[in-house]
Amino acid sequence: MNTLFAADALLPGGWAKNVLLSWNAAGQLTQVQSAAQPAAGAPVANGPVVPGMPNLHSHAFQRAFAGLTEYRAQQDSFWSWRTLMYRFAARLGPQHMEAIATWLYAEMLEAGYTSVCEFQYVHHDADGRPYADDATLSLALLRAARKTGIGFTLLPVLYQTSGFGGLPPNEGQRRFIRSTDSMLRLLDTLKPACDAQGARLGLAPHSLRAVPPDALREAVAGLEAIDPSAPIHIHIAEQTKEVDDCVAWSGQRPVAWLLDHAPVDARWCLVHATHMEAAEYERGAKSGAVAGLCPTTEANLGDGIFDFSAWRHHGGAWGLGSDSHATVNAAEELLMLEYSQRLAWRQRNVGASAAQPHVATALTLEAVRGGAQASGRAIGGLAVGQQADFVVLDAAQLALQGLPAPDMLSAHVFASHRTSAIDTVWISGQPRVAAGRHALHNEAAAAFVAARSQLLQENRAP
Ligand code: ZN
């Protein structure tokens, strides 16, 4: 039996004092006892213990060009960003993918994420031909997750068209395109590999613009045959152009169309449900689906602002993703989410709830719960039966020193000035980050920089 004693811990119902966490050899919490006594010689946390944050949306390779599109070109929009992303993706090989993802996942762990949903859409080689082993790039990501220890949900992406109404794919999309049958074969191939390392396998129909209705229906049915409760993630309403195109095609906005034409329920994650009308907020929230919010990426790309209060008013579940990885920091995503709402509605403490007046506490608990649901894994917080995934804040960090535990979490989110206030991070009961550092930090960073340099050189070649 393994244990950790914490003077303060954030349990699903709120902050508790003198908490003894115990877990079994499988890394599953077997006891979460408040008002406990520390056993002599048992490990004691160096600060408040909070649940690990699931990251529900990641495109790992995009970490390699974070920061490289922050200059003015002829037209600075999401669509010009995407053009650069396609150019970058064109040269990516399995060794680059693994190096980039290994560093990214180590960064995530150091920044308070304990698991990640990988929305994996680069499938084929640079010419658009399937690799000899069709699962090559997905397996590179699984290896990166295993090496770093991060919890993993793999979501192979179905991508077939370049726009609504079955528009043929363009040259930049050649590495993403596959038939529904070949996707279902890929899922069959990946299922044992995922099971072998405790990862969950799901499916990501890329978006309504990239997946025609018949393919969406067949792919979801095929996934259900493999695993009836597997997670399903889709990009849904990120850009107003996408909404306008969907209305022109179907007469409906994307979220409304999806709710009318797909079996949307608690398995689903609606990523970037940014542009919804009142009825979509209500129906979407009540469907049980998780809203996948990616606050720093949505800000970086100029997407727009999700109406967080409307979604929560209808009891909507939600979680956080770092998506393009312009920022890799769970606390900063919470900060950006809260600040976007303050700016939009000219209010403070939008994220507080009746049960939890502290914004950082309320947001952390809700994001963990929704993120766990979207991940399809038992990672929903510090409770018996959940995986022992948690983060110990550093009570000696200047911004936190001497404060009560709820204020320490607030300071971590709102006042730590982008320096980490994280001491240790545990996944499945094993410490993966100690004194703020992942064991692979230096080695993974060097491999990442080498991979990025190589991709940039190849990009610059005529
Ligand atoms: Zn995305």
Side-chain angles (χ1 to χ4, degrees):
M1 187 62 71
N2 300 286
T3 62
L4 183 71
F5 180 83
D8 298 279
L10 181 56
L11 309 187
W15 287 97
K17 290 255 174 227
N18 299 323
V19 176
L20 182 66
L21 300 170
S22 309
W23 56 93
N24 60 22
Q28 190 181 50
L29 287 165
T30 51
Q31 190 185 30
V32 179
Q33 190 192 339
S34 307
Q37 297 291 328
V44 176
N46 288 335
V49 175
V50 299
M53 183 65 72
N55 186 337
L56 59 61
H57 193 61
S58 164
H59 309 288
F61 76 92
Q62 295 182 8
R63 181 58 174 158
F65 62 94
L68 298 181
T69 58
E70 310 302 324
Y71 60 90
R72 181 167 289 180
Q74 288 120 324
Q75 194 200 8
D76 291 298
S77 70
F78 169 87
W79 307 99
S80 58
W81 171 87
R82 193 179 70 159
T83 303
L84 188 131
M85 184 268 282
Y86 283 178
R87 254 199 348 251
F88 207 87
R91 308 303 287 269
L92 186 81
Q95 71 287 5
H96 303 119
M97 185 70 112
E98 186 168 342
I100 295 165
T102 301
W103 168 243
L104 172 68
Y105 298 160
E107 279 187 295
M108 283 186 191
L109 288 164
E110 291 179 358
Y113 293 115
T114 45
S115 68
V116 61
C117 297
E118 192 58 51
F119 200 102
Q120 158 33 19
Y121 61 94
V122 187
H123 299 301
H124 307 315
D125 72 13
D127 298 321
R129 286 185 303 250
Y131 285 98
D133 178 350
D134 188 26
T136 293
L137 290 172
S138 292
L139 292 173
L141 291 167
L142 277 163
R143 278 196 301 278
R146 193 171 61 233
K147 279 194 286 190
T148 56
I150 200 164
F152 205 61
T153 299
L154 179 62
L155 304 163
V157 173
L158 185 64
Y159 202 119
Q160 297 185 336
T161 57
S162 67
F164 292 96
L167 290 179
N170 62 44
E171 185 60 13
Q173 295 160 343
R174 67 187 177 281
R175 301 192 69 178
F176 318 154
I177 301 301
R178 62 193 312 142
S179 70
T180 309
D181 283 347
S182 92
M183 170 53 72
L184 295 178
R185 283 196 299 276
L186 178 65
L187 295 179
D188 276 331
T189 307
L190 287 168
K191 185 74 166 67
C194 287
D195 290 348
Q197 72 180 71
R200 191 78 194 260
L201 180 68
L203 172 72
H206 179 274
S207 55
L208 295 180
R209 65 186 142 85
V211 182
D214 287 350
L216 179 64
R217 192 172 52 246
E218 287 160 21
V220 168
L223 176 73
E224 285 169 344
I226 296 168
D227 178 351
S229 61
I232 305 167
H233 291 213
I234 186 168
H235 291 140
I236 194 64
E238 180 167 12
Q239 291 278 319
T240 51
K241 178 180 185 304
E242 183 175 20
V243 175
D244 294 345
D245 290 351
C246 187
V247 170
W249 165 66
S250 69
Q252 281 185 297
R253 303 165 62 83
V255 173
W257 189 96
L258 187 75
L259 291 167
D260 281 349
H261 295 87
V264 178
D265 58 19
R267 295 170 298 165
W268 288 67
C269 180
L270 310 182
V271 181
H272 310 304
T274 311
H275 299 288
M276 292 193 286
E277 288 183 339
E280 294 175 293
Y281 276 101
E282 179 170 0
R283 290 182 62 209
K286 289 181 175 171
S287 74
V290 176
L293 309 181
C294 306
T296 63
T297 293
E298 289 159 8
N300 184 281
L301 294 175
D303 287 346
I305 299 177
F306 177 81
D307 187 344
F308 186 59
S309 298
W311 185 256
R312 272 167 124 208
H313 173 73
H314 296 296
W318 63 277
L320 292 173
S322 59
D323 191 2
S324 69
H325 313 301
T327 298
V328 182
N329 186 324
E332 277 192 60
E333 296 297 340
L334 292 174
L335 179 143
M336 187 73 223
L337 170 62
E338 172 67 21
Y339 281 0
S340 71
Q341 303 300 310
R342 292 187 188 187
L343 289 165
W345 316 116
R346 286 175 280 171
Q347 291 171 20
R348 295 192 75 248
N349 301 323
V350 178
S353 65
Q356 299 294 346
H358 281 89
V359 175
T361 296
L363 293 180
T364 297
L365 287 173
E366 289 181 29
V368 167
R369 202 160 57 234
Q373 181 185 323
S375 305
R377 301 178 66 245
I379 49 173
L382 301 176
V384 171
Q386 300 296 301
Q387 194 170 287
D389 288 7
F390 50 83
V391 172
V392 181
L393 298 182
D394 178 7
Q397 212 263 9
L398 195 72
L400 278 59
Q401 265 183 46
L403 302 179
D407 292 330
M408 284 202 196
L409 182 56
S410 297
H412 172 51
V413 172
F414 293 106
S416 64
H417 305 291
R418 306 179 73 160
T419 58
S420 179
I422 288 173
D423 179 60
T424 48
V425 178
W426 300 66
I427 314 287
S428 200
Q430 291 186 46
R432 294 290 186 168
V433 170
R437 280 282 181 125
H438 191 278
L440 295 179
H441 184 102
N442 290 342
E443 175 190 327
F448 167 80
V449 171
R452 183 176 63 184
S453 301
Q454 204 178 357
L455 286 168
L456 283 170
Q457 266 172 14
E458 291 179 353
N459 241 330
R460 280 170 187 150

